[in-house]
Amino acid sequence: MSGVRYPFASPGWMAFMHGMIRERASRLFAEAPGVGWSICEVFTDPPPELSPTGRPIAWHVIVRDGEVSFGDTETDAAEIKIVADYAAVLPLGRFDTRGDPARAAELGAMSRDLIARGLMTVVGDRSRRDPRIGDFHDAIARVTA
């Protein structure tokens, strides 16, 4: 990575996500034309510099039939939907597991803690996602300020 970092859920962060997902999807379409997935994340109570009105920040991606649809809105059409308090989820967004199973377990524990405290909800089952898609978390964490 070039060392460029973007504030979590900022327009630059969203552009990075869009580009990364589009690039990964195009490689996967060549290997597995039927591969697809979708996710939506909503961040409540964001900082005023990202949402002057205080409205939640959201993004979604739907990858189907060789197409990538990326948006900066909330949708219920995604297989996985995560709604989290911005400040509470920020440490997770910055946490790079470095591919270490112990750190991945720590990240999982952090997520479960947020859910238990009512600061995050997850609808859907990530375990059903095609493993060829891989994980995006660490690449995102490395560019998240």
Short mmCIF file of all heavy atoms in Angstrom, two decimals, residues 19-78:
data_model
loop_
_atom_site.label_atom_id
_atom_site.label_comp_id
_atom_site.label_asym_id
_atom_site.label_seq_id
_atom_site.Cartn_x
_atom_site.Cartn_y
_atom_site.Cartn_z
N GLY A 19 -13.47 0.76 -5.84
CA GLY A 19 -12.42 0.31 -6.73
C GLY A 19 -11.90 -1.07 -6.38
O GLY A 19 -11.69 -1.90 -7.26
N MET A 20 -11.68 -1.31 -5.11
CA MET A 20 -11.17 -2.61 -4.68
C MET A 20 -12.17 -3.72 -5.00
O MET A 20 -11.79 -4.78 -5.51
CB MET A 20 -10.87 -2.59 -3.18
CG MET A 20 -10.35 -3.92 -2.66
SD MET A 20 -10.09 -3.95 -0.88
CE MET A 20 -11.74 -3.68 -0.28
N ILE A 21 -13.43 -3.49 -4.69
CA ILE A 21 -14.45 -4.51 -4.95
C ILE A 21 -14.61 -4.74 -6.45
O ILE A 21 -14.69 -5.88 -6.90
CB ILE A 21 -15.78 -4.13 -4.28
CG1 ILE A 21 -15.62 -4.21 -2.75
CG2 ILE A 21 -16.92 -5.00 -4.77
CD1 ILE A 21 -16.77 -3.61 -1.96
N ARG A 22 -14.64 -3.67 -7.22
CA ARG A 22 -14.77 -3.82 -8.68
C ARG A 22 -13.59 -4.62 -9.25
O ARG A 22 -13.78 -5.51 -10.08
CB ARG A 22 -14.86 -2.45 -9.33
CG ARG A 22 -15.09 -2.52 -10.84
CD ARG A 22 -15.45 -1.18 -11.43
NE ARG A 22 -16.72 -0.69 -10.99
CZ ARG A 22 -17.91 -1.12 -11.42
NH1 ARG A 22 -17.97 -2.10 -12.29
NH2 ARG A 22 -19.02 -0.59 -10.98
N GLU A 23 -12.38 -4.33 -8.79
CA GLU A 23 -11.20 -5.04 -9.29
C GLU A 23 -11.27 -6.52 -8.90
O GLU A 23 -11.02 -7.39 -9.72
CB GLU A 23 -9.93 -4.38 -8.72
CG GLU A 23 -8.65 -4.90 -9.32
CD GLU A 23 -8.12 -6.14 -8.62
OE1 GLU A 23 -8.38 -6.31 -7.42
OE2 GLU A 23 -7.45 -6.95 -9.29
N ARG A 24 -11.61 -6.80 -7.65
CA ARG A 24 -11.71 -8.20 -7.21
C ARG A 24 -12.80 -8.93 -7.97
O ARG A 24 -12.61 -10.06 -8.39
CB ARG A 24 -11.96 -8.27 -5.70
CG ARG A 24 -12.27 -9.67 -5.23
CD ARG A 24 -11.44 -10.32 -4.16
NE ARG A 24 -10.49 -9.61 -3.41
CZ ARG A 24 -10.45 -9.59 -2.08
NH1 ARG A 24 -11.37 -10.22 -1.38
NH2 ARG A 24 -9.49 -8.96 -1.45
N ALA A 25 -13.93 -8.28 -8.15
CA ALA A 25 -15.05 -8.90 -8.86
C ALA A 25 -14.67 -9.22 -10.31
O ALA A 25 -14.98 -10.31 -10.81
CB ALA A 25 -16.28 -8.01 -8.81
N SER A 26 -13.97 -8.31 -10.97
CA SER A 26 -13.63 -8.57 -12.37
C SER A 26 -12.69 -9.78 -12.48
O SER A 26 -12.81 -10.57 -13.41
CB SER A 26 -13.04 -7.34 -13.04
OG SER A 26 -11.75 -7.07 -12.60
N ARG A 27 -11.77 -9.94 -11.55
CA ARG A 27 -10.90 -11.13 -11.55
C ARG A 27 -11.71 -12.38 -11.30
O ARG A 27 -11.51 -13.41 -11.94
CB ARG A 27 -9.79 -11.00 -10.51
CG ARG A 27 -8.62 -10.17 -10.97
CD ARG A 27 -7.44 -10.23 -10.01
NE ARG A 27 -7.72 -9.47 -8.81
CZ ARG A 27 -7.58 -9.92 -7.57
NH1 ARG A 27 -7.11 -11.13 -7.35
NH2 ARG A 27 -7.87 -9.16 -6.53
N LEU A 28 -12.65 -12.31 -10.35
CA LEU A 28 -13.46 -13.48 -10.03
C LEU A 28 -14.39 -13.87 -11.17
O LEU A 28 -14.62 -15.05 -11.41
CB LEU A 28 -14.29 -13.22 -8.76
CG LEU A 28 -13.53 -13.34 -7.46
CD1 LEU A 28 -14.37 -12.81 -6.30
CD2 LEU A 28 -13.13 -14.78 -7.19
N PHE A 29 -14.93 -12.89 -11.88
CA PHE A 29 -15.84 -13.19 -12.98
C PHE A 29 -15.14 -14.04 -14.04
O PHE A 29 -15.75 -14.89 -14.67
CB PHE A 29 -16.40 -11.92 -13.62
CG PHE A 29 -17.32 -11.13 -12.73
CD1 PHE A 29 -17.42 -9.77 -12.87
CD2 PHE A 29 -18.09 -11.75 -11.74
CE1 PHE A 29 -18.26 -9.02 -12.07
CE2 PHE A 29 -18.93 -11.01 -10.93
CZ PHE A 29 -19.02 -9.65 -11.10
N ALA A 30 -13.84 -13.80 -14.25
CA ALA A 30 -13.09 -14.58 -15.23
C ALA A 30 -12.96 -16.04 -14.77
O ALA A 30 -13.05 -16.96 -15.58
CB ALA A 30 -11.72 -13.96 -15.45
N GLU A 31 -12.76 -16.26 -13.47
CA GLU A 31 -12.58 -17.60 -12.91
C GLU A 31 -13.91 -18.29 -12.62
O GLU A 31 -14.02 -19.50 -12.75
CB GLU A 31 -11.81 -17.53 -11.60
CG GLU A 31 -10.44 -16.93 -11.69
CD GLU A 31 -9.87 -16.64 -10.30
OE1 GLU A 31 -10.41 -17.13 -9.29
OE2 GLU A 31 -8.86 -15.91 -10.24
N ALA A 32 -14.87 -17.53 -12.15
CA ALA A 32 -16.14 -18.08 -11.67
C ALA A 32 -17.27 -17.14 -12.09
O ALA A 32 -17.71 -16.29 -11.30
CB ALA A 32 -16.10 -18.23 -10.15
N PRO A 33 -17.73 -17.25 -13.34
CA PRO A 33 -18.71 -16.30 -13.86
C PRO A 33 -19.98 -16.15 -13.02
O PRO A 33 -20.57 -15.08 -13.00
CB PRO A 33 -19.04 -16.85 -15.25
CG PRO A 33 -17.89 -17.72 -15.61
CD PRO A 33 -17.33 -18.25 -14.32
N GLY A 34 -20.37 -17.15 -12.29
CA GLY A 34 -21.60 -17.08 -11.50
C GLY A 34 -21.43 -16.54 -10.09
O GLY A 34 -22.40 -16.45 -9.34
N VAL A 35 -20.21 -16.15 -9.72
CA VAL A 35 -19.98 -15.70 -8.35
C VAL A 35 -20.74 -14.40 -8.09
O VAL A 35 -20.90 -13.57 -8.97
CB VAL A 35 -18.47 -15.54 -8.05
CG1 VAL A 35 -17.90 -14.32 -8.73
CG2 VAL A 35 -18.21 -15.49 -6.57
N GLY A 36 -21.24 -14.29 -6.87
CA GLY A 36 -21.96 -13.08 -6.51
C GLY A 36 -22.05 -12.93 -5.00
O GLY A 36 -21.91 -13.91 -4.26
N TRP A 37 -22.26 -11.71 -4.56
CA TRP A 37 -22.45 -11.42 -3.14
C TRP A 37 -23.04 -10.03 -3.01
O TRP A 37 -23.03 -9.25 -3.96
CB TRP A 37 -21.15 -11.55 -2.36
CG TRP A 37 -20.13 -10.47 -2.56
CD1 TRP A 37 -19.98 -9.34 -1.81
CD2 TRP A 37 -19.12 -10.41 -3.56
NE1 TRP A 37 -18.92 -8.60 -2.28
CE2 TRP A 37 -18.38 -9.22 -3.36
CE3 TRP A 37 -18.76 -11.24 -4.62
CZ2 TRP A 37 -17.31 -8.85 -4.17
CZ3 TRP A 37 -17.70 -10.87 -5.42
CH2 TRP A 37 -16.98 -9.69 -5.19
N SER A 38 -23.52 -9.73 -1.83
CA SER A 38 -24.01 -8.38 -1.56
C SER A 38 -23.89 -8.09 -0.07
O SER A 38 -24.01 -8.98 0.76
CB SER A 38 -25.46 -8.23 -2.03
OG SER A 38 -26.30 -9.15 -1.37
N ILE A 39 -23.64 -6.83 0.20
CA ILE A 39 -23.51 -6.38 1.59
C ILE A 39 -23.93 -4.92 1.68
O ILE A 39 -23.79 -4.17 0.71
CB ILE A 39 -22.05 -6.56 2.11
CG1 ILE A 39 -21.97 -6.26 3.61
CG2 ILE A 39 -21.08 -5.74 1.31
CD1 ILE A 39 -20.66 -6.67 4.26
N CYS A 40 -24.45 -4.56 2.82
CA CYS A 40 -24.79 -3.17 3.12
C CYS A 40 -24.30 -2.88 4.53
O CYS A 40 -24.47 -3.71 5.43
CB CYS A 40 -26.31 -2.97 3.05
SG CYS A 40 -26.85 -1.31 3.54
N GLU A 41 -23.67 -1.73 4.70
CA GLU A 41 -23.26 -1.28 6.03
C GLU A 41 -23.84 0.10 6.26
O GLU A 41 -23.83 0.95 5.37
CB GLU A 41 -21.74 -1.24 6.17
CG GLU A 41 -21.11 -2.61 6.15
CD GLU A 41 -19.62 -2.59 6.41
OE1 GLU A 41 -18.94 -1.57 6.13
OE2 GLU A 41 -19.11 -3.61 6.89
N VAL A 42 -24.34 0.30 7.47
CA VAL A 42 -24.92 1.57 7.87
C VAL A 42 -24.24 1.99 9.17
O VAL A 42 -24.17 1.20 10.12
CB VAL A 42 -26.45 1.45 8.10
CG1 VAL A 42 -27.04 2.78 8.51
CG2 VAL A 42 -27.14 0.89 6.86
N PHE A 43 -23.74 3.23 9.20
CA PHE A 43 -23.05 3.74 10.38
C PHE A 43 -23.88 4.88 10.97
O PHE A 43 -24.04 5.92 10.34
CB PHE A 43 -21.64 4.20 10.02
CG PHE A 43 -20.86 3.13 9.29
CD1 PHE A 43 -20.47 3.30 7.98
CD2 PHE A 43 -20.54 1.94 9.93
CE1 PHE A 43 -19.76 2.32 7.30
CE2 PHE A 43 -19.84 0.94 9.26
CZ PHE A 43 -19.45 1.13 7.95
N THR A 44 -24.38 4.65 12.16
CA THR A 44 -25.24 5.63 12.81
C THR A 44 -24.40 6.62 13.62
O THR A 44 -23.28 6.32 14.02
CB THR A 44 -26.26 4.94 13.74
OG1 THR A 44 -25.55 4.20 14.74
CG2 THR A 44 -27.17 4.00 12.95
N ASP A 45 -24.96 7.78 13.86
CA ASP A 45 -24.33 8.84 14.66
C ASP A 45 -22.91 9.16 14.19
O ASP A 45 -21.96 9.18 14.99
CB ASP A 45 -24.35 8.45 16.14
CG ASP A 45 -24.18 9.66 17.04
OD1 ASP A 45 -24.43 10.79 16.59
OD2 ASP A 45 -23.76 9.47 18.20
N PRO A 46 -22.74 9.41 12.87
CA PRO A 46 -21.40 9.73 12.36
C PRO A 46 -20.95 11.12 12.80
O PRO A 46 -21.78 11.95 13.18
CB PRO A 46 -21.58 9.66 10.84
CG PRO A 46 -23.01 10.01 10.63
CD PRO A 46 -23.75 9.45 11.82
N PRO A 47 -19.66 11.40 12.70
CA PRO A 47 -19.16 12.72 13.08
C PRO A 47 -19.67 13.80 12.11
O PRO A 47 -19.93 13.52 10.94
CB PRO A 47 -17.64 12.58 13.01
CG PRO A 47 -17.40 11.41 12.13
CD PRO A 47 -18.58 10.51 12.25
N PRO A 48 -19.80 15.04 12.60
CA PRO A 48 -20.36 16.10 11.77
C PRO A 48 -19.56 16.40 10.49
O PRO A 48 -20.14 16.81 9.50
CB PRO A 48 -20.39 17.32 12.68
CG PRO A 48 -19.75 16.94 13.95
CD PRO A 48 -19.49 15.47 13.95
N GLU A 49 -18.26 16.15 10.51
CA GLU A 49 -17.48 16.41 9.30
C GLU A 49 -17.83 15.43 8.18
O GLU A 49 -17.58 15.71 7.00
CB GLU A 49 -15.97 16.42 9.56
CG GLU A 49 -15.40 15.13 10.07
CD GLU A 49 -15.42 14.98 11.59
OE1 GLU A 49 -16.13 15.73 12.27
OE2 GLU A 49 -14.72 14.08 12.08
N LEU A 50 -18.41 14.29 8.51
CA LEU A 50 -18.85 13.33 7.50
C LEU A 50 -20.34 13.42 7.21
O LEU A 50 -20.79 13.04 6.13
CB LEU A 50 -18.48 11.90 7.92
CG LEU A 50 -17.00 11.61 8.01
CD1 LEU A 50 -16.76 10.18 8.47
CD2 LEU A 50 -16.31 11.85 6.67
N SER A 51 -21.09 13.87 8.19
CA SER A 51 -22.54 14.00 8.02
C SER A 51 -23.02 15.21 8.82
O SER A 51 -23.42 15.07 9.97
CB SER A 51 -23.26 12.73 8.49
OG SER A 51 -24.66 12.88 8.37
N PRO A 52 -22.98 16.38 8.20
CA PRO A 52 -23.37 17.61 8.92
C PRO A 52 -24.79 17.55 9.50
O PRO A 52 -25.06 18.18 10.51
CB PRO A 52 -23.25 18.70 7.86
CG PRO A 52 -22.30 18.16 6.85
CD PRO A 52 -22.50 16.67 6.86
N THR A 53 -25.66 16.76 8.87
CA THR A 53 -27.04 16.66 9.36
C THR A 53 -27.19 15.59 10.44
O THR A 53 -28.24 15.50 11.06
CB THR A 53 -28.00 16.31 8.21
OG1 THR A 53 -27.65 15.00 7.71
CG2 THR A 53 -27.93 17.34 7.10
N GLY A 54 -26.15 14.77 10.63
CA GLY A 54 -26.23 13.69 11.61
C GLY A 54 -26.89 12.43 11.07
O GLY A 54 -27.04 11.45 11.79
N ARG A 55 -27.28 12.46 9.80
CA ARG A 55 -27.91 11.27 9.20
C ARG A 55 -26.88 10.15 9.10
O ARG A 55 -25.69 10.39 8.91
CB ARG A 55 -28.45 11.60 7.83
CG ARG A 55 -29.60 12.61 7.87
CD ARG A 55 -30.05 12.90 6.47
NE ARG A 55 -30.60 11.67 5.90
CZ ARG A 55 -31.78 11.58 5.35
NH1 ARG A 55 -32.55 12.64 5.25
NH2 ARG A 55 -32.20 10.43 4.86
N PRO A 56 -27.34 8.90 9.21
CA PRO A 56 -26.42 7.77 9.07
C PRO A 56 -25.71 7.79 7.71
O PRO A 56 -26.24 8.31 6.72
CB PRO A 56 -27.33 6.55 9.19
CG PRO A 56 -28.52 7.04 9.96
CD PRO A 56 -28.71 8.47 9.53
N ILE A 57 -24.54 7.21 7.69
CA ILE A 57 -23.77 7.01 6.46
C ILE A 57 -23.95 5.54 6.08
O ILE A 57 -23.86 4.66 6.93
CB ILE A 57 -22.28 7.30 6.69
CG1 ILE A 57 -22.07 8.76 7.08
CG2 ILE A 57 -21.46 6.94 5.45
CD1 ILE A 57 -20.66 9.05 7.55
N ALA A 58 -24.18 5.29 4.81
CA ALA A 58 -24.39 3.91 4.37
C ALA A 58 -23.67 3.66 3.05
O ALA A 58 -23.37 4.60 2.30
CB ALA A 58 -25.88 3.63 4.21
N TRP A 59 -23.41 2.40 2.80
CA TRP A 59 -22.91 1.97 1.50
C TRP A 59 -23.41 0.55 1.26
O TRP A 59 -23.75 -0.17 2.20
CB TRP A 59 -21.38 2.05 1.40
CG TRP A 59 -20.65 1.01 2.18
CD1 TRP A 59 -20.32 1.07 3.51
CD2 TRP A 59 -20.18 -0.25 1.70
NE1 TRP A 59 -19.66 -0.07 3.87
CE2 TRP A 59 -19.56 -0.90 2.79
CE3 TRP A 59 -20.20 -0.88 0.46
CZ2 TRP A 59 -18.98 -2.17 2.67
CZ3 TRP A 59 -19.63 -2.15 0.35
CH2 TRP A 59 -19.01 -2.76 1.44
N HIS A 60 -23.48 0.19 0.01
CA HIS A 60 -23.84 -1.18 -0.34
C HIS A 60 -23.17 -1.57 -1.64
O HIS A 60 -22.79 -0.70 -2.44
CB HIS A 60 -25.36 -1.35 -0.46
CG HIS A 60 -25.94 -0.70 -1.67
ND1 HIS A 60 -26.40 0.61 -1.64
CD2 HIS A 60 -26.11 -1.13 -2.94
CE1 HIS A 60 -26.84 0.93 -2.84
NE2 HIS A 60 -26.67 -0.10 -3.66
N VAL A 61 -23.01 -2.86 -1.82
CA VAL A 61 -22.54 -3.40 -3.09
C VAL A 61 -23.34 -4.67 -3.36
O VAL A 61 -23.61 -5.46 -2.46
CB VAL A 61 -21.02 -3.68 -3.10
CG1 VAL A 61 -20.63 -4.79 -2.15
CG2 VAL A 61 -20.55 -3.99 -4.51
N ILE A 62 -23.74 -4.80 -4.61
CA ILE A 62 -24.42 -6.01 -5.07
C ILE A 62 -23.66 -6.47 -6.30
O ILE A 62 -23.55 -5.74 -7.28
CB ILE A 62 -25.91 -5.75 -5.39
CG1 ILE A 62 -26.62 -5.26 -4.12
CG2 ILE A 62 -26.56 -7.01 -5.96
CD1 ILE A 62 -28.04 -4.78 -4.34
N VAL A 63 -23.11 -7.68 -6.22
CA VAL A 63 -22.33 -8.26 -7.31
C VAL A 63 -23.13 -9.46 -7.83
O VAL A 63 -23.34 -10.43 -7.10
CB VAL A 63 -20.94 -8.71 -6.81
CG1 VAL A 63 -20.16 -9.37 -7.93
CG2 VAL A 63 -20.19 -7.54 -6.22
N ARG A 64 -23.61 -9.35 -9.07
CA ARG A 64 -24.45 -10.40 -9.66
C ARG A 64 -24.27 -10.41 -11.17
O ARG A 64 -24.21 -9.35 -11.80
CB ARG A 64 -25.94 -10.15 -9.40
CG ARG A 64 -26.37 -10.25 -7.99
CD ARG A 64 -26.68 -11.72 -7.62
NE ARG A 64 -27.10 -11.79 -6.25
CZ ARG A 64 -26.29 -11.91 -5.21
NH1 ARG A 64 -25.00 -12.00 -5.38
NH2 ARG A 64 -26.75 -11.97 -3.98
N ASP A 65 -24.24 -11.60 -11.74
CA ASP A 65 -24.26 -11.76 -13.20
C ASP A 65 -23.21 -10.90 -13.90
O ASP A 65 -23.50 -10.28 -14.93
CB ASP A 65 -25.66 -11.45 -13.75
CG ASP A 65 -26.73 -12.34 -13.12
OD1 ASP A 65 -26.46 -13.54 -12.92
OD2 ASP A 65 -27.82 -11.82 -12.82
N GLY A 66 -22.02 -10.83 -13.35
CA GLY A 66 -20.94 -10.09 -13.98
C GLY A 66 -21.02 -8.58 -13.81
O GLY A 66 -20.25 -7.85 -14.41
N GLU A 67 -21.93 -8.11 -12.98
CA GLU A 67 -22.11 -6.67 -12.77
C GLU A 67 -21.84 -6.31 -11.32
O GLU A 67 -22.15 -7.08 -10.41
CB GLU A 67 -23.54 -6.25 -13.12
CG GLU A 67 -23.92 -6.47 -14.56
CD GLU A 67 -23.19 -5.54 -15.51
OE1 GLU A 67 -22.97 -4.37 -15.14
OE2 GLU A 67 -22.83 -5.99 -16.61
N VAL A 68 -21.30 -5.12 -11.09
CA VAL A 68 -21.06 -4.60 -9.76
C VAL A 68 -21.87 -3.33 -9.61
O VAL A 68 -21.68 -2.37 -10.34
CB VAL A 68 -19.57 -4.30 -9.52
CG1 VAL A 68 -19.35 -3.68 -8.14
CG2 VAL A 68 -18.72 -5.54 -9.70
N SER A 69 -22.80 -3.34 -8.64
CA SER A 69 -23.60 -2.15 -8.35
C SER A 69 -23.18 -1.66 -6.97
O SER A 69 -23.38 -2.34 -5.97
CB SER A 69 -25.08 -2.50 -8.36
OG SER A 69 -25.85 -1.42 -7.90
N PHE A 70 -22.58 -0.49 -6.93
CA PHE A 70 -22.08 0.09 -5.68
C PHE A 70 -22.84 1.38 -5.43
O PHE A 70 -23.03 2.18 -6.34
CB PHE A 70 -20.58 0.39 -5.80
CG PHE A 70 -19.92 0.74 -4.50
CD1 PHE A 70 -19.31 -0.23 -3.73
CD2 PHE A 70 -19.91 2.05 -4.04
CE1 PHE A 70 -18.69 0.09 -2.53
CE2 PHE A 70 -19.30 2.38 -2.84
CZ PHE A 70 -18.69 1.39 -2.08
N GLY A 71 -23.27 1.59 -4.18
CA GLY A 71 -23.99 2.82 -3.87
C GLY A 71 -23.72 3.31 -2.47
O GLY A 71 -23.23 2.57 -1.63
N ASP A 72 -24.05 4.57 -2.24
CA ASP A 72 -23.85 5.17 -0.93
C ASP A 72 -25.18 5.33 -0.19
O ASP A 72 -25.42 6.33 0.47
CB ASP A 72 -23.11 6.51 -1.05
CG ASP A 72 -23.88 7.53 -1.86
OD1 ASP A 72 -24.97 7.22 -2.38
OD2 ASP A 72 -23.39 8.67 -1.96
N THR A 73 -26.01 4.30 -0.34
CA THR A 73 -27.32 4.30 0.32
C THR A 73 -27.52 2.98 1.06
O THR A 73 -26.85 1.99 0.79
CB THR A 73 -28.46 4.46 -0.71
OG1 THR A 73 -28.37 3.39 -1.66
CG2 THR A 73 -28.37 5.80 -1.42
N GLU A 74 -28.48 3.00 1.95
CA GLU A 74 -28.88 1.79 2.67
C GLU A 74 -29.82 0.99 1.78
O GLU A 74 -30.61 1.55 1.04
CB GLU A 74 -29.60 2.20 3.96
CG GLU A 74 -30.06 1.03 4.80
CD GLU A 74 -30.69 1.47 6.12
OE1 GLU A 74 -30.66 2.68 6.43
OE2 GLU A 74 -31.19 0.59 6.82
N THR A 75 -29.70 -0.34 1.85
CA THR A 75 -30.61 -1.21 1.13
C THR A 75 -30.90 -2.45 1.96
O THR A 75 -30.03 -2.92 2.69
CB THR A 75 -30.07 -1.61 -0.26
OG1 THR A 75 -31.05 -2.43 -0.92
CG2 THR A 75 -28.77 -2.39 -0.17
N ASP A 76 -32.11 -2.93 1.84
CA ASP A 76 -32.48 -4.19 2.48
C ASP A 76 -32.31 -5.36 1.51
O ASP A 76 -32.58 -6.50 1.86
CB ASP A 76 -33.92 -4.13 2.98
CG ASP A 76 -34.08 -3.19 4.15
OD1 ASP A 76 -33.12 -3.05 4.94
OD2 ASP A 76 -35.16 -2.58 4.29
N ALA A 77 -31.85 -5.09 0.29
CA ALA A 77 -31.69 -6.12 -0.73
C ALA A 77 -30.37 -6.90 -0.60
O ALA A 77 -30.12 -7.79 -1.39
CB ALA A 77 -31.78 -5.49 -2.12
N ALA A 78 -29.55 -6.56 0.38
CA ALA A 78 -28.25 -7.22 0.54
C ALA A 78 -28.39 -8.49 1.36
O ALA A 78 -29.24 -8.59 2.25
CB ALA A 78 -27.26 -6.27 1.22
#
